[in-house]
Coordinates of all heavy atoms in Angstrom, one line a residue:
P1 N 0.8 -1.2 0.1 CA 0.0 0.1 0.0 C 0.9 1.3 -0.1 O 1.9 1.2 0.6 CB -0.9 -0.1 1.3 CG -0.2 -1.2 2.2 CD 0.7 -2.0 1.2
R2 N 0.2 2.3 -0.6 CA 1.0 3.6 -0.6 C 0.9 4.3 0.8 O -0.1 4.3 1.4 CB 0.2 4.5 -1.7 CG 0.9 5.7 -2.0 CD 0.3 6.4 -3.2 NE -1.0 5.9 -3.5 CZ -2.1 6.6 -3.2 NH1 -1.9 7.9 -2.5 NH2 -3.4 6.4 -3.4
L3 N 2.1 4.8 1.3 CA 2.1 5.3 2.6 C 1.9 6.9 2.5 O 2.4 7.5 1.5 CB 3.4 5.1 3.3 CG 3.7 3.6 3.6 CD1 5.0 3.5 4.3 CD2 2.7 3.1 4.6
P4 N 1.1 7.5 3.3 CA 1.0 8.9 3.2 C 2.3 9.7 3.5 O 3.1 9.1 4.2 CB -0.1 9.2 4.3 CG -0.4 8.0 5.0 CD 0.4 7.0 4.3
T5 N 2.5 11.0 2.9 CA 3.6 11.6 3.1 C 3.7 12.3 4.5 O 4.7 12.8 5.0 CB 3.8 12.6 1.9 OG1 2.7 13.4 1.9 CG2 4.1 11.9 0.6
H6 N 2.5 12.6 5.0 CA 2.3 13.3 6.3 C 2.2 12.1 7.5 O 2.3 11.0 7.1 CB 1.1 14.1 6.3 CG 0.0 13.4 6.0 ND1 -0.5 13.1 4.8 CD2 -1.1 12.9 6.8 CE1 -1.6 12.4 4.8 NE2 -2.0 12.3 6.1
A7 N 2.2 12.6 8.6 CA 2.0 11.5 9.7 C 0.7 10.8 9.5 O -0.3 11.4 9.4 CB 1.9 12.4 11.1
P8 N 0.8 9.5 9.3 CA -0.4 8.7 8.9 C -1.3 8.6 10.0 O -1.1 8.7 11.2 CB 0.2 7.4 8.6 CG 1.6 7.3 9.3 CD 2.0 8.7 9.4
R9 N -2.6 8.6 9.6 CA -3.7 8.3 10.5 C -3.8 6.8 10.9 O -3.7 6.0 9.9 CB -5.0 8.8 10.0 CG -6.2 8.6 10.9 CD -7.5 9.1 10.2 NE -8.3 10.0 11.2 CZ -9.4 10.5 10.9 NH1 -9.8 10.5 9.8 NH2 -9.8 11.3 11.9
L10 N -4.0 6.5 12.1 CA -4.2 5.2 12.5 C -5.6 4.7 12.2 O -6.6 5.3 12.7 CB -3.8 4.9 13.9 CG -4.0 3.5 14.6 CD1 -3.3 2.4 13.9 CD2 -3.7 3.6 16.1
L11 N -5.8 3.6 11.5 CA -7.0 2.9 11.2 C -6.8 1.6 11.6 O -5.9 0.8 11.1 CB -7.4 3.0 9.6 CG -7.3 4.4 9.0 CD1 -7.3 4.3 7.5 CD2 -8.3 5.2 9.5
A12 N -7.8 1.0 12.5 CA -7.7 -0.2 13.1 C -8.9 -1.1 12.9 O -10.1 -0.4 13.1 CB -7.2 -0.3 14.5
A13 N -8.9 -2.3 12.5 CA -10.1 -3.1 12.5 C -9.8 -4.5 13.1 O -8.8 -5.1 13.0 CB -10.4 -3.3 11.0
I14 N -10.8 -4.9 13.9 CA -10.8 -6.2 14.6 C -11.9 -7.1 14.1 O -13.0 -6.8 14.0 CB -11.1 -5.9 16.1 CG1 -10.2 -4.8 16.7 CG2 -11.0 -7.3 16.9 CD1 -8.8 -5.1 16.8
H15 N -11.3 -8.3 13.6 CA -12.2 -9.3 13.1 C -13.0 -10.0 14.1 O -12.7 -9.8 15.3 CB -11.4 -10.4 12.2 CG -10.5 -11.2 13.1 ND1 -10.9 -12.3 13.7 CD2 -9.1 -11.1 13.3 CE1 -9.9 -13.0 14.4 NE2 -8.8 -12.3 14.0
G16 N -13.9 -10.9 13.7 CA -14.8 -11.6 14.7 C -14.4 -13.0 14.7 O -13.3 -13.5 14.4
V17 N -15.3 -13.8 15.4 CA -15.0 -15.2 15.7 C -15.0 -16.0 14.4 O -15.8 -15.9 13.5 CB -16.3 -15.8 16.6 CG1 -16.1 -17.2 16.9 CG2 -16.2 -15.1 17.9
C18 N -13.8 -16.7 14.3 CA -13.7 -17.7 13.2 C -13.5 -17.0 11.9 O -13.9 -17.6 10.7 CB -14.6 -18.7 13.2 SG -14.8 -19.8 14.7
T19 N -13.2 -15.7 11.9 CA -13.2 -15.0 10.5 C -11.7 -14.3 10.4 O -11.4 -13.7 11.4 CB -14.2 -13.8 10.3 OG1 -14.0 -12.9 11.5 CG2 -15.6 -14.4 10.3
P20 N -11.0 -14.5 9.4 CA -9.8 -13.9 9.3 C -9.8 -12.5 9.1 O -10.8 -11.9 8.7 CB -9.3 -14.5 7.9 CG -10.5 -15.0 7.2 CD -11.5 -15.3 8.2
P21 N -8.6 -11.7 9.5 CA -8.6 -10.2 9.3 C -8.9 -9.9 7.8 O -9.6 -8.8 7.7 CB -7.2 -10.0 9.7 CG -6.7 -11.0 10.5 CD -7.4 -12.3 10.0
S22 N -8.6 -10.5 6.8 CA -8.9 -10.3 5.5 C -10.4 -10.1 5.2 O -10.9 -9.3 4.3 CB -8.5 -11.4 4.4 OG -9.1 -12.6 4.6
Y23 N -11.4 -10.7 6.0 CA -12.7 -10.6 5.9 C -13.2 -9.2 6.3 O -14.0 -8.5 5.6 CB -13.5 -11.6 6.8 CG -15.0 -11.6 6.7 CD1 -15.6 -12.2 5.6 CD2 -15.8 -10.9 7.5 CE1 -17.0 -12.2 5.5 CE2 -17.2 -10.8 7.4 CZ -17.8 -11.4 6.3 OH -19.1 -11.4 6.1
V24 N -12.6 -8.6 7.3 CA -12.9 -7.2 7.7 C -12.1 -6.2 6.9 O -12.6 -5.2 6.6 CB -12.5 -7.1 9.3 CG1 -12.9 -5.8 9.7 CG2 -13.5 -8.1 10.0
C25 N -10.9 -6.5 6.7 CA -9.9 -5.4 6.2 C -9.7 -5.6 4.7 O -9.2 -4.6 4.0 CB -8.5 -5.6 6.8 SG -8.7 -5.2 8.6
G26 N -9.9 -6.7 4.0 CA -9.5 -7.1 2.6 C -10.0 -5.9 1.7 O -9.3 -5.4 0.9
E27 N -11.3 -5.7 1.8 CA -12.0 -4.7 0.8 C -11.5 -3.2 1.2 O -11.7 -2.3 0.3 CB -13.5 -4.9 0.9 CG -13.9 -6.1 0.2 CD -13.5 -6.4 -1.2 OE1 -13.6 -5.4 -2.0 OE2 -13.0 -7.5 -1.6
W28 N -11.0 -3.0 2.4 CA -10.8 -1.5 2.7 C -9.3 -1.3 2.6 O -9.0 0.0 2.8 CB -11.0 -1.5 4.2 CG -12.6 -1.5 4.5 CD1 -13.3 -2.5 5.0 CD2 -13.6 -0.6 4.1 NE1 -14.6 -2.3 5.1 CE2 -14.8 -1.1 4.5 CE3 -13.4 0.8 3.7 CZ2 -16.0 -0.4 4.4 CZ3 -14.6 1.5 3.5 CH2 -15.9 1.0 3.8
Q29 N -8.4 -2.2 2.2 CA -7.0 -2.0 2.1 C -6.7 -0.8 1.2 O -6.0 0.1 1.7 CB -6.3 -3.2 1.6 CG -5.6 -3.9 2.5 CD -5.0 -5.2 1.9 OE1 -5.6 -6.1 1.5 NE2 -3.7 -5.2 1.8
N30 N -7.1 -0.8 0.0 CA -6.8 0.3 -0.9 C -7.5 1.7 -0.5 O -6.8 2.7 -0.6 CB -7.3 0.0 -2.4 CG -6.5 -1.2 -2.9 OD1 -5.3 -1.3 -2.5 ND2 -7.0 -1.9 -3.8
A31 N -8.7 1.7 -0.2 CA -9.2 2.9 0.3 C -8.5 3.5 1.6 O -8.2 4.7 1.6 CB -10.7 2.6 0.7
A32 N -8.2 2.7 2.5 CA -7.4 3.1 3.7 C -6.1 3.6 3.4 O -5.7 4.6 4.1 CB -7.4 1.9 4.6
S33 N -5.4 3.2 2.4 CA -4.1 3.7 2.1 C -4.1 5.0 1.7 O -3.1 5.7 2.0 CB -3.4 2.7 1.0 OG -4.1 2.9 -0.2
D34 N -5.1 5.6 1.2 CA -5.3 7.1 0.9 C -5.5 8.0 2.2 O -5.2 9.0 2.2 CB -6.5 7.4 0.1 CG -6.2 6.8 -1.4 OD1 -5.1 6.6 -1.7 OD2 -7.3 6.7 -2.0
K35 N -5.8 7.2 3.3 CA -6.2 8.1 4.5 C -5.2 7.7 5.7 O -5.0 8.4 6.6 CB -7.5 7.6 5.1 CG -8.7 7.7 4.1 CD -8.8 9.3 3.6 CE -10.0 9.4 2.8 NZ -10.0 10.7 2.2
G36 N -4.5 6.5 5.7 CA -3.4 6.2 6.8 C -3.0 4.9 6.6 O -2.9 4.4 5.6
L37 N -2.8 4.3 7.8 CA -2.4 3.0 7.9 C -3.3 2.0 8.6 O -3.9 2.3 9.7 CB -1.0 2.8 8.7 CG 0.2 3.5 8.0 CD1 1.4 3.4 8.9 CD2 0.5 2.6 6.8
L38 N -3.8 1.1 7.8 CA -4.7 0.0 8.3 C -4.1 -1.1 9.1 O -3.3 -1.7 8.5 CB -5.6 -0.4 7.2 CG -6.7 -1.5 7.5 CD1 -7.7 -0.8 8.5 CD2 -7.4 -2.0 6.3
V39 N -4.4 -1.3 10.3 CA -3.9 -2.3 11.1 C -4.9 -3.3 11.4 O -5.9 -3.0 11.9 CB -3.3 -1.9 12.5 CG1 -2.8 -2.9 13.2 CG2 -2.2 -0.8 12.1
C40 N -4.7 -4.6 11.1 CA -5.7 -5.8 11.2 C -5.1 -7.0 11.9 O -4.7 -7.8 11.3 CB -6.3 -6.1 9.9 SG -7.0 -4.7 9.0
P41 N -5.0 -6.9 13.3 CA -4.4 -7.9 13.9 C -5.2 -9.3 13.8 O -6.4 -9.2 13.5 CB -4.3 -7.6 15.4 CG -5.3 -6.6 15.5 CD -5.6 -5.9 14.3
T42 N -4.3 -10.4 13.9 CA -5.1 -11.7 13.9 C -5.3 -12.2 15.4 O -4.5 -12.0 16.2 CB -4.1 -12.7 13.1 OG1 -3.9 -12.2 11.9 CG2 -4.7 -14.0 13.1
G43 N -6.5 -12.9 15.5 CA -6.9 -13.4 16.8 C -5.8 -14.4 17.4 O -4.9 -14.8 16.8
N44 N -5.9 -14.5 18.7 CA -4.8 -15.3 19.5 C -5.2 -16.8 19.6 O -4.5 -17.4 20.2 CB -4.9 -14.6 20.9 CG -6.1 -14.7 21.7 OD1 -7.1 -15.3 21.2 ND2 -6.1 -14.2 22.9
S45 N -6.2 -17.2 18.8 CA -6.6 -18.6 18.8 C -7.2 -19.0 17.4 O -7.3 -18.2 16.7 CB -7.6 -18.8 20.0 OG -7.8 -20.4 20.1
S46 N -7.6 -20.2 17.3 CA -8.1 -20.7 16.1 C -9.5 -21.6 16.5 O -9.4 -22.2 17.4 CB -7.1 -21.7 15.3 OG -6.1 -21.0 14.9
C47 N -10.4 -21.5 15.4 CA -11.6 -22.2 15.5 C -11.3 -23.6 15.0 O -10.4 -24.0 14.3 CB -12.7 -21.6 14.9 SG -13.2 -20.0 15.6
G48 N -12.4 -24.4 15.1 CA -12.4 -25.8 14.6 C -11.6 -26.9 15.4 O -10.8 -26.5 16.1
P49 N -11.7 -28.0 15.0 CA -11.0 -29.0 15.7 C -9.4 -28.9 15.5 O -9.0 -28.7 14.3 CB -11.5 -30.4 15.0 CG -12.1 -30.0 13.8 CD -12.5 -28.5 13.8
E50 N -8.7 -29.0 16.6 CA -7.2 -28.9 16.6 C -6.8 -27.6 15.8 O -5.8 -27.5 15.2 CB -6.7 -30.0 15.9 CG -6.9 -31.3 16.8 CD -6.3 -32.6 16.1 OE1 -5.5 -32.5 15.3 OE2 -6.9 -33.6 16.3
G51 N -7.6 -26.5 16.0 CA -7.2 -25.3 15.4 C -7.2 -25.1 14.0 O -6.3 -24.4 13.4
T52 N -8.0 -25.9 13.3 CA -7.9 -26.0 11.8 C -8.8 -24.9 11.2 O -8.8 -24.7 9.9 CB -8.4 -27.4 11.2 OG1 -9.7 -27.6 11.7 CG2 -7.3 -28.4 11.8
G53 N -9.5 -24.1 11.9 CA -10.4 -23.1 11.3 C -9.9 -21.8 11.4 O -8.7 -21.6 11.6
G54 N -10.7 -20.7 11.1 CA -10.3 -19.4 11.1 C -9.8 -18.9 12.4 O -10.2 -19.5 13.5
P55 N -9.2 -17.8 12.5 CA -8.7 -17.2 13.7 C -9.9 -16.7 14.6 O -10.8 -16.3 14.0 CB -7.9 -16.1 13.2 CG -8.2 -15.6 12.0 CD -8.7 -17.0 11.3
T56 N -9.6 -16.6 15.8 CA -10.7 -16.2 16.7 C -10.0 -15.5 17.9 O -8.8 -15.5 18.0 CB -11.7 -17.2 17.3 OG1 -12.8 -16.7 17.8 CG2 -11.1 -18.2 18.1
W57 N -10.7 -14.9 18.8 CA -10.1 -14.3 20.1 C -10.7 -15.1 21.2 O -11.8 -15.4 21.4 CB -10.7 -12.9 20.2 CG -10.3 -12.0 19.1 CD1 -11.2 -11.6 18.1 CD2 -9.1 -11.3 18.8 NE1 -10.6 -10.8 17.1 CE2 -9.3 -10.7 17.5 CE3 -7.9 -11.2 19.4 CZ2 -8.3 -10.0 16.9 CZ3 -6.9 -10.6 18.8 CH2 -7.0 -9.9 17.6
E58 N -9.8 -15.5 22.2 CA -10.1 -16.2 23.3 C -9.5 -15.4 24.6 O -8.6 -14.6 24.3 CB -9.5 -17.6 23.4 CG -10.2 -18.6 22.6 CD -9.7 -20.1 22.7 OE1 -8.9 -20.4 23.6 OE2 -10.2 -20.9 22.0
G59 N -10.1 -15.6 25.6 CA -9.8 -15.0 26.9 C -10.6 -13.6 27.0 O -11.5 -13.4 26.2
P60 N -10.2 -12.8 27.9 CA -10.9 -11.6 28.2 C -10.8 -10.6 27.0 O -9.8 -10.6 26.3 CB -10.2 -11.0 29.5 CG -8.9 -11.7 29.4 CD -9.0 -12.9 28.7
F61 N -11.8 -9.7 26.9 CA -11.6 -8.7 25.9 C -10.5 -7.9 25.9 O -9.9 -7.3 25.0 CB -12.9 -7.8 25.9 CG -14.2 -8.6 25.3 CD1 -15.2 -8.9 26.2 CD2 -14.2 -8.9 24.0 CE1 -16.1 -9.7 25.7 CE2 -15.3 -9.5 23.5 CZ -16.2 -9.9 24.3
S62 N -9.9 -7.7 27.2 CA -8.7 -6.9 27.4 C -7.5 -7.5 26.5 O -6.6 -6.8 26.2 CB -8.3 -6.7 28.8 OG -8.1 -8.0 29.5
G63 N -7.6 -8.8 26.3 CA -6.6 -9.4 25.4 C -6.6 -8.9 24.0 O -5.5 -8.8 23.3
I64 N -7.8 -8.6 23.5 CA -7.9 -8.1 22.1 C -7.2 -6.9 22.1 O -6.4 -6.5 21.2 CB -9.4 -8.0 21.7 CG1 -10.1 -9.4 21.7 CG2 -9.5 -7.4 20.4 CD1 -11.6 -9.4 21.4
D65 N -7.4 -5.9 23.1 CA -6.8 -4.6 23.2 C -5.2 -4.8 23.2 O -4.5 -4.1 22.6 CB -7.4 -3.9 24.5 CG -6.6 -2.5 24.6 OD1 -6.8 -1.7 23.6 OD2 -6.1 -2.2 25.6
T66 N -4.7 -5.7 24.0 CA -3.4 -6.0 24.1 C -2.7 -6.3 22.7 O -1.8 -5.8 22.3 CB -3.0 -7.0 25.0 OG1 -3.5 -6.6 26.4 CG2 -1.5 -7.4 25.2
D67 N -3.5 -7.3 22.0 CA -3.0 -7.8 20.8 C -3.0 -6.7 19.8 O -2.1 -6.5 18.9 CB -3.9 -8.9 20.1 CG -3.7 -10.2 20.9 OD1 -2.5 -10.3 21.7 OD2 -4.5 -11.0 20.8
L68 N -4.1 -5.8 19.8 CA -4.1 -4.6 18.8 C -3.0 -3.7 19.2 O -2.3 -3.3 18.2 CB -5.5 -3.8 19.0 CG -5.7 -2.5 18.3 CD1 -5.5 -2.9 16.8 CD2 -6.9 -1.8 18.6
E69 N -2.8 -3.3 20.4 CA -1.7 -2.4 20.7 C -0.3 -2.9 20.3 O 0.6 -2.3 19.8 CB -1.6 -2.1 22.2 CG -2.8 -1.2 22.6 CD -2.9 0.1 21.9 OE1 -1.8 0.6 21.5 OE2 -4.0 0.6 21.6
L70 N -0.1 -4.3 20.4 CA 1.2 -5.0 20.0 C 1.3 -4.8 18.4 O 2.4 -4.5 17.9 CB 1.3 -6.4 20.4 CG 1.5 -6.7 21.8 CD1 1.2 -8.2 22.2 CD2 2.8 -6.2 22.3
S71 N 0.2 -5.0 17.7 CA 0.2 -4.8 16.2 C 0.5 -3.4 15.8 O 1.3 -3.2 14.9 CB -1.1 -5.3 15.7 OG -1.4 -6.6 15.9
I72 N -0.2 -2.5 16.6 CA 0.1 -1.0 16.2 C 1.6 -0.6 16.4 O 2.3 0.0 15.7 CB -0.7 -0.1 17.0 CG1 -2.3 -0.3 16.7 CG2 -0.3 1.3 17.1 CD1 -3.2 0.5 17.7
E73 N 2.2 -1.2 17.5 CA 3.6 -0.9 17.9 C 4.5 -1.5 16.7 O 5.5 -0.9 16.4 CB 3.9 -1.5 19.2 CG 5.3 -1.1 19.6 CD 5.6 0.3 19.5 OE1 4.9 1.2 19.8 OE2 6.9 0.7 19.3
A74 N 4.2 -2.8 16.3 CA 4.9 -3.3 15.3 C 4.9 -2.6 13.9 O 5.9 -2.3 13.3 CB 4.4 -4.8 14.9
V75 N 3.8 -2.0 13.7 CA 3.6 -1.2 12.5 C 4.4 0.1 12.7 O 5.1 0.6 11.8 CB 2.2 -0.8 12.1 CG1 2.0 0.3 11.1 CG2 1.4 -2.1 11.7
R76 N 4.4 0.8 13.8 CA 5.0 1.9 14.1 C 6.6 1.6 13.9 O 7.3 2.5 13.4 CB 4.8 2.4 15.6 CG 5.6 3.7 16.0 CD 5.2 4.1 17.4 NE 3.8 4.6 17.5 CZ 2.9 3.9 18.3 NH1 3.2 2.9 19.1 NH2 1.6 4.3 18.3
R77 N 7.1 0.5 14.5 CA 8.5 0.3 14.2 C 9.0 0.1 12.9 O 9.9 0.5 12.6 CB 8.9 -1.0 15.2 CG 9.1 -0.7 16.7 CD 9.7 -1.8 17.4 NE 9.2 -3.1 17.0 CZ 8.1 -3.7 17.6 NH1 7.6 -3.2 18.5 NH2 7.7 -4.9 17.2
Q78 N 8.2 -0.6 12.1 CA 8.6 -1.0 10.8 C 8.3 0.0 9.8 O 9.0 0.0 8.7 CB 7.9 -2.3 10.4 CG 8.4 -3.5 11.2 CD 7.6 -4.8 11.0 OE1 7.0 -4.9 9.8 NE2 7.7 -6.0 11.8
L79 N 7.2 0.7 9.9 CA 6.7 1.6 8.8 C 6.6 3.1 9.1 O 6.8 4.0 8.2 CB 5.4 1.1 8.1 CG 5.4 -0.3 7.6 CD1 4.0 -0.7 7.2 CD2 6.2 -0.4 6.4
A80 N 6.1 3.3 10.3 CA 5.7 4.7 10.6 C 6.0 5.2 12.0 O 5.1 5.2 12.9 CB 4.2 4.8 10.4
P81 N 7.1 5.6 12.3 CA 7.6 5.9 13.6 C 6.7 7.1 14.2 O 6.6 7.3 15.4 CB 9.2 6.5 13.4 CG 9.5 5.7 12.2 CD 8.4 5.7 11.4
S82 N 6.1 7.9 13.2 CA 5.2 9.0 13.7 C 3.7 8.8 14.0 O 3.0 9.5 14.4 CB 5.4 10.2 12.7 OG 4.8 9.7 11.6
L83 N 3.5 7.4 13.9 CA 2.1 7.0 14.0 C 1.6 7.2 15.5 O 2.3 6.7 16.3 CB 2.0 5.5 13.6 CG 0.6 4.8 13.7 CD1 -0.3 5.4 12.6 CD2 0.7 3.4 13.5
T84 N 0.5 7.8 15.7 CA -0.1 8.1 17.0 C -1.5 7.6 17.0 O -2.1 7.2 16.0 CB 0.0 9.4 17.5 OG1 -0.9 10.3 16.7 CG2 1.4 10.0 17.2
H85 N -2.1 7.6 18.2 CA -3.6 7.5 18.3 C -4.5 8.6 18.1 O -5.6 8.4 18.1 CB -3.8 6.9 19.7 CG -3.3 5.4 19.9 ND1 -2.0 5.1 20.1 CD2 -4.0 4.1 20.0 CE1 -1.8 3.8 20.2 NE2 -3.0 3.3 20.3
D86 N -3.7 9.7 17.9 CA -4.5 10.9 17.7 C -5.4 10.8 16.3 O -4.8 10.5 15.4 CB -3.7 12.1 17.4 CG -2.9 12.5 18.8 OD1 -3.3 12.0 19.8 OD2 -1.8 13.2 18.6
G87 N -6.7 11.0 16.4 CA -7.6 10.8 15.3 C -7.7 9.5 14.7 O -8.2 9.3 13.7
A88 N -7.4 8.5 15.7 CA -7.5 7.1 15.2 C -8.9 6.7 15.0 O -9.7 7.2 15.6 CB -6.9 6.2 16.2
V89 N -9.1 5.7 14.1 CA -10.3 5.2 13.8 C -10.4 3.6 14.2 O -9.4 3.0 13.6 CB -10.9 5.4 12.4 CG1 -12.2 4.6 12.0 CG2 -10.9 6.7 12.0
L90 N -11.3 3.1 14.9 CA -11.4 1.7 15.3 C -12.7 1.2 14.9 O -13.7 1.7 15.2 CB -11.1 1.6 16.8 CG -11.4 0.3 17.4 CD1 -10.3 -0.8 16.9 CD2 -11.2 0.2 19.0
V91 N -12.6 0.0 14.2 CA -13.8 -0.6 13.8 C -13.7 -2.1 14.2 O -12.6 -2.5 14.3 CB -14.2 -0.5 12.3 CG1 -14.6 1.0 12.0 CG2 -13.1 -1.1 11.4
G92 N -14.9 -2.7 14.3 CA -14.9 -4.1 14.5 C -16.1 -4.8 14.0 O -17.0 -4.3 13.7
Y93 N -15.9 -6.1 13.8 CA -16.9 -7.0 13.3 C -17.2 -8.2 14.2 O -16.2 -8.7 14.8 CB -16.5 -7.6 12.0 CG -17.4 -8.7 11.4 CD1 -18.7 -8.2 10.8 CD2 -17.0 -10.0 11.5 CE1 -19.5 -9.3 10.3 CE2 -17.9 -11.0 11.0 CZ -19.1 -10.7 10.4 OH -19.9 -11.6 9.9
S94 N -18.4 -8.4 14.6 CA -18.7 -9.5 15.5 C -18.1 -9.4 16.8 O -18.2 -8.3 17.5 CB -18.4 -10.9 14.8 OG -19.0 -12.0 15.5
R95 N -17.4 -10.3 17.3 CA -16.7 -10.2 18.6 C -15.7 -9.2 18.6 O -15.5 -8.6 19.6 CB -16.1 -11.6 18.9 CG -15.4 -11.6 20.3 CD -15.0 -13.0 20.8 NE -14.4 -12.8 22.1 CZ -14.6 -13.7 23.0 NH1 -15.3 -14.7 22.9 NH2 -14.1 -13.5 24.2
G96 N -15.2 -8.8 17.5 CA -14.2 -7.7 17.5 C -14.9 -6.3 17.6 O -14.2 -5.3 17.9
G97 N -16.2 -6.3 17.4 CA -16.9 -5.0 17.7 C -17.3 -4.9 19.1 O -17.7 -3.8 19.6

């Protein structure tokens, strides 16, 4: 994706139960690149027998917040040191909402 020349706006999306981040973020990738950086972390567990299904979130909801913040920090380190939470947009689908 094309990175903005100014300090990018943080856009974050949280997927739901048994749905990959691409379900929530896939169609928004190109549109988001005009506005900022889209961060879409993957759940901390998997659905289905022996983890063969899509990703999901297990544990307390605070764990989703922790995973999101770790993902934001990774993006900050690798792509955008000036990335902040100022003006950030957060969306979620299903359990991610």
